[in-house]
Amino acid sequence: MDRPAPPSLADQFAAALDWWREAGVDAVFADEPEAMYDLSAGAAPAASEPVPTKARAEPAAAPPPTLGGDKSAWPATLADFAPWWLTEPSLAPGPLAARVAPRLVVQTELLVLVPMPEGEDGAELLSGRQGVLIANMLRAMGIAPETASLAAALPSHMPAADWEGLHEQGLGEVLRHLIALAAPKRTLILGQDVLPLLGLEKRQGVRELPLTESTAPLLASLAPDILLGNARSRADLWRRWLDWTGTG
């Protein structure tokens, strides 16, 4: 028995396209669908012609928003800072109602700067256990509460804050502006995540923070939530404070 001649390559290609057509597949699917063959004419492309595809266009990455908005609209006085902190849209995501105002005093003896408000804070910053710790510290330091300023690096409680991203978006400039307006005799930073925002290394101890027209002496230590659970760290902070102020 004579065997039938094998189909040519063109016949095989046409048969494959017929099979896909009967299966209901008539397009190449990329970002945008394209016709595999001209259905109106019923003709398939020649076997030597490649099926064209379109390159996927990658959208350009948008620059991160600048925290604080237009610097020309930043508060010019310490009294104007808290209202601006509560209402400036760019400062933090989430509802404005979740923000907590800093407690600021003109010609303050000491500015205490923490990473963020406590989770239970309502109308007043540091109204929970961390606030009790700081109040006890001020009492031991001989600083009257009405002469101390309390502020947070973030307007609201954000446990999973992206500190590196906040630094890139300019939060440090906002905090420098706050410190310059407060002009404290001393600044106590409780929370090492705050230090890189100000261009400082993550380490405890005394250093000088350069500002536009002056420098601010500061002492850096651990965040209040860590100090609460670590008596040795509290004792170390107290020793550093006594050495810094010359009261030891």
Side-chain angles (χ1 to χ4, degrees):
M1 180 182 297
D2 295 334
R3 292 185 177 181
S8 65
L9 180 60
D11 291 338
Q12 295 180 49
F13 187 78
L17 291 178
D18 287 341
W19 189 90
W20 285 111
R21 183 188 292 112
E22 292 179 4
V25 179
D26 57 8
V28 175
F29 291 93
D31 285 346
E32 297 181 4
E34 299 178 15
M36 290 176 61
Y37 36 74
D38 186 356
L39 293 176
S40 61
S48 60
E49 295 179 2
V51 178
T53 59
K54 291 186 178 180
R56 184 173 184 176
E58 294 292 338
T66 301
L67 296 179
D70 184 2
K71 288 186 178 182
S72 65
W74 285 11
T77 67
L78 192 64
D80 294 332
F81 189 88
W84 176 81
W85 185 252
L86 293 176
T87 57
E88 167 55 40
S90 68
L91 283 176
L96 294 178
R99 299 189 187 187
V100 185
R103 297 153 61 181
L104 303 175
V105 179
V106 178
Q107 296 180 339
T108 185
E109 184 75 18
L110 177 69
L111 169 63
V112 182
L113 182 61
V114 299
M116 65 187 71
E118 297 187 69
E120 59 267 34
D121 280 352
E124 188 174 82
L125 179 67
L126 295 169
S127 56
R129 294 179 65 237
Q130 297 178 28
V132 172
L133 170 67
I134 293 173
N136 291 337
M137 289 170 54
L138 293 176
R139 188 178 302 110
M141 293 170 178
I143 298 176
E146 62 271 15
T147 66
S149 292
L150 304 180
L154 295 173
S156 56
H157 186 67
M158 296 173 60
D162 177 11
W163 293 106
E164 183 176 347
L166 292 167
H167 173 60
E168 293 174 355
Q169 294 174 52
L171 181 58
E173 289 298 313
V174 177
L175 298 180
R176 284 173 177 271
H177 186 68
L178 166 61
I179 295 172
L181 290 177
K185 293 181 180 179
R186 300 179 190 273
T187 299
L188 176 61
I189 295 182
L190 299 180
Q192 295 187 82
D193 285 325
V194 178
L195 297 175
L197 298 175
L198 301 172
L200 302 173
E201 294 181 2
K202 268 190 178 185
R203 61 181 178 83
Q204 301 181 63
V206 178
R207 70 271 315 271
E208 297 283 332
L209 173 65
L211 300 172
T212 302
E213 299 180 357
S214 63
T215 58
L218 63 84
L219 172 63
S221 187
L222 302 176
D225 59 335
I226 299 176
L227 291 173
L228 277 170
N230 193 321
R232 179 175 297 181
S233 295
R234 295 196 300 273
D236 181 68
L237 170 58
W238 183 242
R239 285 193 298 268
R240 292 178 187 272
W241 171 264
L242 295 178
D243 289 343
W244 187 35
T245 59
T247 56

